[in-house]
Amino acid sequence: MSMTLYVILTLSDVPNTTALNEKAARLKTPLEFSENIDLRTHSGFLPIKLGGEPSGVETYTSPYSEFTDYFPDFDISPYKEPVVITFRWGGDLNEMVVALNSAYLLSHDVVATVFEPQSGMFLTSEQVKEGADAMFADGL
């Protein structure tokens, strides 16, 4: 079963993986991204180490306009050039932890919204982090 997680943010706030690594270290997140990948143009599997072990997640960046039917009532007024970063993974719980932590890093300290479609809920950056921490603490 494929699962997804969406992060809505402004295009200029989408970092490359080198900047994400710096943020991950500063925020003590257990991720290490492959260096110098531009998430604004990346499409497909993104290799990421979780706690030093190889993992990753499918990652796609799309214009928000491709999601207007999916988020018909979402207020995009705070976003200049809004984009949606999609994280997709299968049944591997480590990949879920990678996706949650990645969404946390992308949404921390910028105007961003995380949407978890399985529950239909919009989440704050801190809610995403709490979920990732709880799963990682359980020994994944």
Side-chain angles (χ1 to χ4, degrees), residues 82-104:
V83 295
V84 178
I85 297 183
T86 302
F87 295 105
R88 183 172 291 130
W89 66 95
D92 186 321
L93 294 180
N94 285 333
E95 291 178 3
M96 178 185 278
V97 173
V98 167
L100 288 167
N101 274 294
S102 297
Y104 166 66

Side-chain angles (χ1 to χ4, degrees), residues 48-94:
I48 305 168
K49 289 184 180 178
L50 173 63
E53 296 296 319
S55 190
V57 66
E58 288 182 41
T59 307
Y60 306 93
T61 302
S62 309
Y64 178 82
S65 60
E66 293 180 14
F67 288 83
T68 53
D69 290 342
Y70 199 74
F71 303 114
D73 298 324
F74 186 75
D75 179 14
I76 62 164
S77 63
Y79 304 90
K80 183 178 179 182
E81 291 186 82
V83 295
V84 178
I85 297 183
T86 302
F87 295 105
R88 183 172 291 130
W89 66 95
D92 186 321
L93 294 180
N94 285 333

Side-chain angles (χ1 to χ4, degrees), residues 97-111:
V97 173
V98 167
L100 288 167
N101 274 294
S102 297
Y104 166 66
L105 292 172
L106 286 171
S107 62
H108 186 268
D109 286 344
V110 298
V111 176

Side-chain angles (χ1 to χ4, degrees), residues 26-70:
R26 183 170 40 90
L27 297 174
K28 297 179 178 32
T29 303
L31 299 184
E32 182 181 340
F33 296 82
S34 295
E35 292 287 327
N36 296 319
I37 297 173
D38 186 351
L39 295 180
R40 293 174 295 180
T41 58
H42 178 78
S43 181
F45 186 77
L46 181 63
I48 305 168
K49 289 184 180 178
L50 173 63
E53 296 296 319
S55 190
V57 66
E58 288 182 41
T59 307
Y60 306 93
T61 302
S62 309
Y64 178 82
S65 60
E66 293 180 14
F67 288 83
T68 53
D69 290 342
Y70 199 74

